[in-house]
Amino acid sequence: MRIERFRWWHIEQVTPIEADLFGPERWSAAMFWNELASGHHYLVALDDEQLLGDDKLPDDDRVLGYAGLAVNPPHEAWVQNIAVRREVQRRGIGRALLEALLAEAARGRVRKVLLEVAVDNAPAQKLYAEYGFEAVGVRRGYYQPSNTDALVMARTGWDAEEDGGISA
C-alpha cells in the first residue's frame, strides 16, 4: 500500500466505497470535488500489494481507502473523513491514513485536531483514542437521514513551547 494525494481522477473509485460504507449518508462526487477545489488535504491509499482481486485497474491504481483534513488557520484542523474498503479493513490502512493526516497537521503547526464519529462506531473511536483523541461533545442527529448522533473528539497537538513538535 502507498499513500498519495487524492486527485480528481480518484473520485470515480471513491464514490462506490463511500456508498458501500455510508449508504444514504454518503458524500456525492460533487462534495469530493468541492473538498479538492477548496484545497483541503486529501489522501488515498493505493493498492500496490495486490490486496484486491479486481483486474479492471492496474494493481497500483486501486483505491483502498481515503481521508481528508481541513485546516482552519491558524491552529485548528478537522478530519473530514477516513474510509477504507470493507474487504480490506483491519489491515492498518485507516491507521496509516490517520497518521498521515496527523503528520500534515503537525507540519502546519496545528494545535488542535477535531473530528466527528458516529456514536455507534466503536472501532473508529478506539483507534482515535489510541492517538490521543478525547470526547469533547455530542452533535445530536448529526448524520442524516439516520439521525445518528456524532461524538466530537479532539486531540491537542503541536506546541513549540512545550515539546517542539507533535505530541500524542
Side-chain angles (χ1 to χ4, degrees):
M1 175 197 63
R2 72 180 189 283
I3 296 177
E4 295 182 357
R5 286 298 297 255
F6 185 134
R7 305 289 186 195
W8 65 267
W9 55 85
H10 294 123
I11 293 173
E12 185 178 342
Q13 288 188 67
V14 164
T15 51
I17 299 168
E18 184 80 6
D20 177 49
L21 296 176
F22 304 110
E25 294 165 349
R26 69 187 174 271
W27 282 21
S28 66
M31 293 170 84
F32 283 106
W33 276 102
N34 187 55
E35 289 293 298
L36 295 177
S38 296
H40 296 311
H41 185 77
Y42 271 76
L43 302 169
V44 289
L46 299 174
D47 186 6
D48 63 357
E49 300 171 25
Q50 299 182 349
L51 296 173
L52 298 173
D54 182 0
D55 293 328
K56 295 177 186 169
L57 296 169
D59 293 335
D60 59 353
D61 288 336
R62 295 186 210 145
V63 174
L64 299 173
Y66 53 93
L69 184 74
V71 178
N72 300 317
H75 303 296
E76 183 179 277
W78 284 84
V79 173
Q80 299 293 81
N81 48 30
I82 297 178
V84 175
R85 281 180 186 264
R86 197 177 302 278
E87 63 268 33
V88 292
Q89 290 179 356
R90 306 269 188 252
R91 296 188 191 186
I93 298 166
R95 181 178 299 276
L97 287 165
L98 176 60
E99 287 176 359
L101 293 183
L102 293 176
E104 178 65 19
R107 276 190 291 280
R109 298 183 176 186
V110 170
R111 292 189 181 157
K112 184 184 270 189
V113 179
L114 300 109
L115 58 83
E116 292 125 346
V117 59
V119 295
D120 59 359
N121 190 344
Q125 291 172 33
K126 181 180 178 206
L127 173 65
Y128 301 140
E130 289 174 15
Y131 284 85
F133 284 89
E134 297 177 348
V136 295
V138 174
R139 296 188 197 271
R140 301 278 178 222
Y142 182 77
Y143 294 104
Q144 294 298 320
S146 70
N147 206 38
T148 303
D149 295 344
L151 182 65
V152 180
M153 300 181 80
R155 175 187 194 268
T156 303
W158 193 88
D159 189 336
E161 292 178 13
E162 281 186 21
D163 64 3
I166 196 76
S167 59

